[in-house]
Amino acid sequence: MLNSAAITQGPQNATHRSLYHALGLTTEEVSRPLVGVVSSYNEIVPGHMNLDKIVDAVKLGVAMAGGTPIVFPAIAVCDGIAMGHQGMKYSLVTRDLIADSTEAMVLAHGFDALVMVPNCDKNVPGLLMAAARLNIPTVFVSGGPMLAGHVGDGKTSLSSMFEAVGKFNAGKINEEELEDYARRVCPTCGSCSGMYTANSMNCLTEALGMGLRGNGTVPAVYSARIELAKHAGMAVMEMLRRDIKPRDIMTEKAFKNALTVDMALGCSTNSMLHLPAIAHEAGVELNLDIANAMSEKTPNLCHLAPAGRTYMEDLEEAGGVWAVMKELTKLDLIHTDCMTVTGKTVGENLEHVVNRDTSVIRTVEEPYSHTGGIAVLKGNLAPDGGVVKRSAVAPEMLVHEGPARVFDSEEEAQTAINAGKICPGDVVVIRYEGPKGGPGMREMLNPTSSIMGMGLGSSVALITDGRFSGATRGACIGHVSPEAASGGVIGVVQEGDIISIDIPANKLELKVPQEEIDRRLTAFVPKTKELSGYLKRYAAMVSSGATGAIVNK
């Protein structure tokens, strides 16, 4: 791997040095290790508006530890703003753009180490993919979660806002009350305050060993977040001195730790897309088949929003991700010999950690459930699997059977929901929203939130070859694979067909005779869309959601 000395040192590299001097760097700075600070700062994502301060703190930490920090950017999409329209087609696809562009910048300029400063949904996994691919010393420090909002006497988060729109459409609140939600649910900068995808991935970065303690939970507006960023800058210099690299940390055992913590926290179903993609870059095979085995032995210890009424700030006060991991060590569920960016093993990191609030992080003796927060369902409707956030499903919907209401796009489904055409007992099917068919595998937060807001969450299920926001709750099964655009069975479901969902048994079945399914599949020609630009290239290259929607797998 090219390093900075090969570019900056010796007479033959005088031309390169002249360009560093053009940047205002001194001879002393050019002679030190060059540390790339990958900043996802922008002015459109609320989770990123504070990243300039985080980056400044990282730079100071790097400089204090003897390195020369140099900032370059990574893009980021706000899933909340992109939700419910064509913009969501461009969310998941940025994960690979981020990984590829970071690779290009690092290899073009010979950086010695990296500090990644992401915060929201796709730039966290995208930068983890880049870290695994590049394999130079790397530390992650996110921008931190948003504080919870307050409406009336209770705490709220972005999922409350989406459900408020459903309440408004159902006539349960008026426009003035809806606007009150809009003004109050997202009160600070940071990644939205529940255990949604951004916070899930920032927490799992800790579980993987790639972030310091508090990376996933210290609120964005706390001064402790600035201290954490300085320590991240110092930590990467120590990693460089000790030659600790991402693939030394992101081992098979580390990914199993991350999956275990995922189940205990009740993370977003999107983690089932991102962890396999990151593992792929690290040379580790990770697929959905092991998820249920992990879930069967992992207790669900947290019910953060949208599954419950606690928020990221509460998890931080209770001891954060490390306190969850410490609880899991009681059952020998954590591989404590894994190396981390602290320069210590997981076991050494957890030695003095305490669970400070068992109402937020339940003990393994008294969990919310003895199985994990995520389940993978299989059956004739999803031969390669579908994913559900089991911890956010109402008990009465864990087993459900009902008639299919079939829609070929999110917009068609949303129109029907808004018009009151979905009835208790129905199973809403949204197809042609997978990685290829969307393309881009849109999140379905609008329809799921509308269903909840209209009071149908305990009687209506939704399945899709697309995916769900981490803010989704209810009997919502995504990632159904193979997708409709690839000839999957979901593409031949007909209006009124009976669909059976059995989450405890990990089953998803179309109650139609196999001979009839075979007949339909023989005659089936998947719908196509006119595509251009990046989406056309993405659709041609992307793999199934069951394998992480990896490009060029």
Side-chain angles (χ1 to χ4, degrees):
M1 175 74 72
L2 181 73
N3 62 20
S4 66
I7 296 174
T8 62
Q9 305 303 309
Q12 297 306 313
N13 290 317
T15 302
H16 299 137
R17 289 196 297 277
S18 72
L19 294 170
Y20 283 112
H21 290 309
L23 291 168
L25 295 180
T26 66
T27 300
E28 292 81 4
E29 287 174 302
V30 175
S31 68
R32 295 170 183 161
L34 300 185
V35 179
V37 182
V38 188
S39 171
S40 296
Y41 170 76
N42 62 48
E43 294 183 342
I44 189 63
V45 183
H48 292 215
M49 63 177 287
N50 66 321
L51 293 191
D52 54 343
K53 295 178 176 60
I54 303 298
V55 166
D56 286 345
V58 168
K59 290 172 66 179
L60 185 56
V62 169
M64 285 192 294
T68 298
I70 300 177
V71 180
F72 65 87
I75 63 170
V77 165
C78 176
D79 277 24
I81 294 174
M83 194 71 65
H85 53 85
Q86 69 171 0
M88 183 47 70
K89 294 178 185 288
Y90 287 90
S91 173
L92 179 60
V93 304
T94 65
R95 185 186 72 182
D96 296 275
L97 284 173
I98 291 162
D100 292 347
S101 59
T102 302
E103 174 194 351
M105 286 294 290
V106 172
L107 295 184
H109 300 103
F111 287 104
D112 299 296
L114 298 169
V115 180
M116 307 293 201
V117 188
N119 209 27
C120 290
D121 293 32
K122 306 310 171 299
N123 65 322
V124 180
L127 290 177
L128 281 165
M129 289 165 66
R133 187 185 302 176
L134 292 162
N135 201 35
I136 62 175
T138 303
V139 174
F140 277 69
V141 56
S142 76
M146 185 184 292
L147 293 179
H150 294 267
V151 175
D153 295 330
K155 288 183 176 182
T156 58
S157 59
L158 186 64
S159 53
S160 308
M161 184 68 247
F162 278 91
E163 290 178 19
V165 174
K167 292 178 181 178
F168 173 76
N169 289 335
K172 295 183 178 182
I173 61 173
N174 59 35
E175 190 170 352
E176 183 178 350
E177 291 170 310
L178 181 65
E179 186 59 26
D180 189 50
Y181 269 91
R183 299 287 299 179
R184 294 177 180 273
V185 297
C186 296
T188 71
C189 63
S191 48
C192 298
S193 57
M195 188 52 77
Y196 311 147
T197 305
N199 291 326
S200 294
M201 293 310 303
N202 282 323
C203 288
L204 295 182
T205 300
E206 284 191 60
L208 275 171
M210 290 297 294
L212 299 176
R213 184 179 186 180
N215 178 69
T217 55
V218 174
V221 295
Y222 282 15
S223 296
R225 176 62 55 177
I226 301 298
E227 293 183 48
L228 182 66
K230 292 175 184 175
H231 283 130
M234 298 177 200
V236 81
M237 293 304 298
E238 181 62 20
M239 290 179 69
L240 182 59
R241 280 188 280 271
R242 295 178 54 183
D243 195 31
I244 300 172
K245 299 185 178 76
R247 291 188 198 175
D248 300 324
I249 295 170
M250 289 193 281
T251 62
E252 182 178 356
K253 286 182 178 180
F255 280 101
K256 288 182 177 178
N257 282 349
L259 267 177
T260 300
V261 173
D262 189 332
M263 300 298 174
L265 282 173
C267 289
S268 163
T269 53
N270 282 312
S271 62
M272 294 294 102
L273 276 179
H274 300 320
L275 287 176
I278 299 160
H280 176 70
E281 297 289 353
V284 174
E285 184 65 30
L286 187 69
N287 56 52
L288 296 183
D289 292 337
I290 70 169
N292 285 336
M294 302 288 289
S295 182
E296 283 302 314
K297 62 183 181 180
T298 305
N300 179 223
L301 305 181
C302 299
H303 266 193
L304 295 143
R309 297 182 179 275
T310 52
Y311 296 82
M312 296 306 296
E313 62 207 64
D314 302 312
L315 181 58
E316 166 62 16
E317 293 302 317
V321 175
W322 285 17
V324 175
M325 296 177 76
K326 186 63 175 283
E327 280 292 335
L328 295 170
T329 61
K330 296 177 183 178
L331 299 177
D332 292 325
L333 294 175
I334 296 293
H335 296 282
T336 57
D337 57 339
C338 294
M339 178 53 66
T340 72
V341 294
T342 66
K344 299 178 180 179
T345 65
V346 169
E348 290 172 319
N349 288 339
L350 299 182
E351 190 174 350
H352 301 295
V353 173
V354 175
N355 180 355
R356 296 193 292 261
D357 189 342
T358 57
S359 69
V360 177
I361 304 171
R362 289 199 177 181
T363 65
V364 294
E365 293 82 12
E366 296 183 4
Y368 283 101
S369 69
H370 291 283
T371 53
I374 288 177
V376 175
L377 312 187
K378 288 192 174 185
N380 64 358
L381 187 49
D384 294 340
V387 182
V388 63
K389 191 171 185 175
R390 174 165 47 192
S391 60
V393 178
E396 58 269 33
M397 289 298 289
L398 289 170
V399 177
H400 179 76
E401 192 169 287
R405 305 298 310 282
V406 183
F407 305 96
D408 286 345
S409 70
E410 177 186 4
E411 288 83 359
E412 289 180 19
Q414 190 65 50
T415 298
I417 294 167
N418 290 346
K421 295 181 179 180
I422 303 302
C423 303
D426 286 348
V427 179
V428 176
V429 177
I430 305 178
R431 61 194 181 192
Y432 294 104
E433 291 288 4
K436 289 181 181 293
M441 207 176 187
R442 285 196 288 181
E443 290 183 345
M444 303 287 142
L445 183 56
N446 275 355
T448 60
S449 296
S450 295
I451 287 169
M452 296 301 297
M454 296 171 81
L456 297 172
S458 60
S459 60
V460 170
L462 191 153
I463 70 170
T464 180
D465 53 10
R467 61 195 176 93
F468 296 113
S469 165
T472 290
R473 62 190 179 103
C476 302
I477 302 156
H479 310 195
V480 170
S481 301
E483 61 177 294
S486 294
V489 175
I490 191 172
V492 298
V493 176
Q494 296 180 1
E495 187 80 6
D497 282 349
I498 301 301
I499 292 175
S500 172
I501 299 165
D502 189 337
I503 295 173
N506 303 316
K507 290 288 186 181
L508 179 61
E509 296 281 345
L510 178 64
K511 306 293 279 189
V512 170
Q514 188 59 48
E515 312 86 75
E516 171 62 13
I517 293 174
D518 291 341
R519 187 192 66 77
R520 293 181 191 178
L521 287 173
T522 299
F524 180 44
V525 178
K527 293 183 177 181
T528 58
K529 299 175 182 177
E530 288 293 325
L531 300 172
S532 61
Y534 183 62
L535 289 183
K536 184 175 182 178
R537 299 198 302 276
Y538 183 87
M541 296 185 295
V542 70
S543 75
S544 164
T547 57
I550 297 167
V551 170
N552 282 334
K553 188 178 189 306

